[in-house]
């Protein structure tokens, strides 16, 4: 059985447990590519992250694709990844892409605004968007603006902190005031290589079901 098939099996178990098997959603992955992430790109960790999130997208998304962004102090939209072309995705489309700005400083709001624009202006849909946002620390406090401004939109932000840096900004997401509904969650993983697939999917999908319920009640989604 292929790696992606095994990952899909693990994802399916968690989806069933959380009553999410009938949910259709667009899935996005936003990857920090600031300088401190260099090692995780080079050693294959980020490639494994792409594959693990793709397994969720394959369950939620009607075409099984995963939309991908990378950001440092600039950002880029990348080619969506699918089960057909996931192997070597990070090497081909990120590390070996000379046009891509990488390993600079981190600046989250511009890429977040682009994600919002993509799903609400360019290609609006009745399906919600589940956005997995990977960051290795030092997230700018100005992320509050796009999180608040998108709180009445069909977007759920799942922030994932990796490593041992400062995540104070992301830890305060649940206390963020001024939102239509709570549209963001955060959890921290010291070493993303050592967490099991099932544990990762349980964390990823922990608050999404509650958001779906509230978003339906508030007429954000149907």
């Amino acid at each position: 059985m292929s790696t992606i098939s095994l990952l899909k099996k693990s994802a399916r178990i968690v989806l069933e447990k959380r009553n999410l098997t009938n949910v259709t959603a667009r899935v996005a992955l936003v990857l920090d590519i600031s300088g401190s992430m260099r090692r995780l790109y080079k050693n294959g960790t980020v490639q494994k992250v792409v594959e693990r999130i793709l397994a969720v997208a394959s369950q939620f998304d009607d075409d099984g694709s995963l939309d991908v962004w990378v950001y440092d102090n600039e950002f880029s939209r990348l080619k969506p990844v699918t089960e057909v072309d996931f192997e070597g995705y990070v090497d081909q489309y990120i590390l070996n892409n000379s046009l891509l700005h990488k390993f600079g400083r981190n600046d989250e709001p511009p890429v977040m605004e682009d994600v919002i624009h993509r799903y609400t202006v360019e290609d609006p849909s009745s399906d919600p968007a589940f956005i997995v946002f990977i960051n290795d620390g030092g997230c700018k406090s100005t992320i509050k603006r796009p999180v608040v401004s998108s709180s009445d939109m069909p977007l759920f932000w799942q922030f994932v902190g990796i490593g041992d840096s400062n995540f104070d900004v992301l830890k305060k997401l649940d206390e963020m005031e001024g939102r239509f509904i709570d549209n963001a969650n955060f959890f921290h993983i010291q070493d993303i290589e050592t967490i099991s697939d099932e544990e990762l999917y349980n964390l990823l999908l922990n608050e999404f079901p509650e958001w779906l319920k509230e978003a339906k009640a508030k007429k954000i989604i149907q």
Side-chain angles (χ1 to χ4, degrees):
M1 191 178 284
S2 70
T3 305
I4 200 71
S5 296
L6 290 169
L7 290 170
K8 284 169 65 177
K9 190 174 179 181
S10 296
R12 189 77 183 176
I13 290 169
V14 176
L15 289 168
E16 288 173 354
K17 188 163 63 177
R18 297 189 179 277
N19 296 316
L20 291 170
T21 51
N22 294 320
V23 171
T24 301
R26 298 187 287 183
V27 183
L29 176 61
V30 183
L31 292 165
D32 184 343
I33 197 169
S34 59
S36 53
M37 287 284 292
R38 186 188 299 266
R39 181 182 62 84
L40 299 181
Y41 278 90
K42 301 281 189 181
N43 71 8
T45 297
V46 174
Q47 173 65 34
K48 289 177 186 171
V49 169
V50 170
E51 293 172 16
R52 291 168 108 176
I53 306 305
L54 174 60
V56 175
S58 71
Q59 311 287 316
F60 276 154
D61 201 294
D62 56 358
D63 65 1
S65 67
L66 173 64
D67 296 327
V68 183
W69 279 258
V70 293
Y71 80 95
D72 52 6
N73 47 295
E74 297 183 17
F75 69 85
S76 296
R77 293 188 199 182
L78 302 185
K79 176 184 177 296
V81 61
T82 70
E83 290 182 53
V84 175
D85 60 6
F86 73 89
E87 292 181 358
Y89 181 88
V90 167
D91 280 343
Q92 182 175 354
Y93 295 103
I94 301 178
L95 292 178
N96 297 332
N97 184 349
S98 60
L99 300 177
L100 209 63
H101 198 275
K102 42 189 174 284
F103 307 131
R105 304 179 314 279
N106 60 303
D107 186 12
E108 289 76 21
V111 70
M112 294 174 71
E113 295 290 356
D114 193 61
V115 171
I116 293 168
H117 192 268
R118 160 79 170 78
Y119 290 128
T120 64
V121 178
E122 290 177 32
D123 187 20
S125 170
S126 57
D127 295 330
F130 178 67
I131 304 150
V132 180
F133 199 109
I134 306 289
N135 170 264
D136 78 336
C139 195
K140 287 199 170 182
S141 61
T142 46
I143 69 159
K144 179 176 180 178
R145 187 182 66 252
V147 171
V148 170
S149 71
S150 62
S151 65
D152 61 349
M153 301 174 187
L155 308 172
F156 182 79
W157 303 91
Q158 178 58 68
F159 290 91
V160 182
I162 57 175
D164 54 7
S165 295
N166 182 332
F167 297 103
D168 286 352
V169 171
L170 295 174
K171 286 175 182 174
K172 293 175 182 174
L173 281 174
D174 280 339
E175 304 162 16
M176 200 176 286
E177 297 180 350
R179 287 180 291 172
F180 188 65
I181 64 170
D182 181 354
N183 61 334
N185 185 41
F186 167 73
F187 64 87
H188 172 227
I189 302 172
Q190 185 75 24
D191 184 357
I192 202 162
E193 285 277 13
T194 59
I195 189 171
S196 72
D197 297 325
E198 192 166 342
E199 187 180 358
L200 176 64
Y201 294 141
N202 268 311
L203 288 168
L204 278 173
L205 300 168
N206 184 37
E207 283 201 15
F208 188 48
E210 285 302 313
W211 176 84
L212 286 170
K213 195 181 298 180
E214 190 173 359
K216 283 178 183 174
K218 296 282 184 71
K219 310 294 188 202
I220 295 173
I221 59 175
Q222 295 178 353

